[in-house]
Amino acid sequence: ASLCSFLLGASVATLPLLLGSSPSLLAAPGLRGRLALALHVAGVNAALLLIYPRPLYKIAVRACFLGFAFGCGLLLSAGRSAWRHFGWYMCSLSLFHYSEYLVTAINNPRSLSLDSFLLNHSFEYNLAALSSWVEFTLEKLFFPELKQITWLSTVGLLMVIFGDCLRKAAMLTAGSNFNHIVQNEKSDTHTLVTSGVYGWFRHPSYVGWFYWSIGTQVLLCNPICVVGYALASWRFFRERIEEEEITLIHFFGEEYLEYKRKVPSGLPFIKGVKLEL
């Protein structure tokens, strides 16, 4: 249901073909493109209401919204508009959140919920996203040349791709052991994963998210948010890793301590929980 809805929302990218207009539909002046987008949203939402019962509709409408954002990002990315790099960002952000849900559905369906989209991650996360949009808009208005540094945006896009791929590889490698919420009780199937990307870093999903988040701001050429995201993400993951490692030591004892001695956390200047001997 979520995958079909995501693709249905992303089909907005086909509107230029249907209208016989420029691919940069969103950046073009005039009301024709905006009206087409509004009709597309209304039509897709009506279809979802007819197709899915209430519980599935809640999933479908979120997946469709992310697909719509992805499709709009593709439209902005097309051509040479001043919003092209923001289109890259929209594609990256929407795909990140949708793939969080999809990989959880594949890996650990028992823990699947609406929260798996991570759209309501936290007030601080939403505030950070809003701040990046405000900075991009203001700097585009007053310093438009700053937003046209294609090589820098390309570096950011590569960071985003690397970070997201590493995170999803970690989720897939961990399988049912992965959960968006730190677990306080060990289940019968809970095992310590040390293979694959977990042989590189103890916390590859956090490493991936860390570089993905900073990469989104490099992509947008947002100098203020690059620094802010780096500091805020580092602090968040330092606290999260310490909290999680206390639980892992409780679960696996010496086995985890040995793993901790051999494999780095993967994040700069974060060594994890310190044990007093």
Side-chain angles (χ1 to χ4, degrees), residues 92 117 125 136 148 190 224 258 268:
S92 304
F117 285 108
Y125 181 83
F136 181 88
Q148 299 302 313
H190 202 166
I224 298 174
E258 181 64 23

Side-chain angles (χ1 to χ4, degrees), residues 2 99-112 116:
S2 75
S99 59
E100 287 289 309
Y101 183 90
L102 182 63
V103 174
T104 303
I106 294 170
N107 250 7
N108 194 7
R110 287 182 298 177
S111 70
L112 193 65
S116 300

Side-chain angles (χ1 to χ4, degrees), residues 58-199:
K58 292 180 179 180
I59 297 169
V61 74
R62 287 165 173 78
C64 184
F65 165 74
L66 292 171
F68 179 77
F70 182 81
C72 288
L74 291 178
L75 292 177
L76 284 176
S77 301
R80 293 285 177 177
S81 79
W83 291 90
R84 182 167 59 130
H85 297 156
F86 195 82
W88 295 0
Y89 167 80
M90 287 181 65
C91 290
S92 304
L93 185 66
S94 56
L95 193 60
F96 172 83
H97 282 282
Y98 176 66
S99 59
E100 287 289 309
Y101 183 90
L102 182 63
V103 174
T104 303
I106 294 170
N107 250 7
N108 194 7
R110 287 182 298 177
S111 70
L112 193 65
S113 70
L114 291 176
D115 291 340
S116 300
F117 285 108
L118 296 185
L119 291 172
N120 58 340
H121 179 272
S122 65
F123 172 77
E124 292 79 8
Y125 181 83
N126 295 333
L127 182 62
L130 180 61
S131 299
S132 72
W133 304 339
V134 170
E135 181 183 352
F136 181 88
T137 302
L138 291 177
E139 289 174 351
K140 183 180 179 298
L141 181 63
F142 294 105
F143 311 102
E145 66 282 354
L146 179 63
K147 302 304 176 185
Q148 299 302 313
I149 309 176
T150 299
W151 70 265
L152 186 59
S153 290
T154 302
V155 170
L157 182 61
L158 292 175
M159 290 177 65
V160 163
I161 294 171
F162 164 77
D164 202 7
C165 287
L166 178 59
R167 179 168 172 82
K168 297 313 183 292
M171 293 173 70
L172 290 169
T173 301
S176 61
N177 294 286
F178 185 90
N179 199 301
H180 284 120
I181 301 172
V182 176
Q183 301 297 292
N184 294 318
E185 295 184 7
K186 183 181 177 183
S187 67
D188 294 336
T189 59
H190 202 166
T191 59
L192 179 62
V193 181
T194 60
S195 60
V197 291
Y198 285 87

Side-chain angles (χ1 to χ4, degrees), residues 96 118 121 125 163 167 204-213 237:
F96 172 83
L118 296 185
H121 179 272
Y125 181 83
R167 179 168 172 82
S205 66
Y206 295 159
V207 176
W209 197 345
F210 178 77
Y211 288 107
W212 174 87
S213 66
F237 287 121

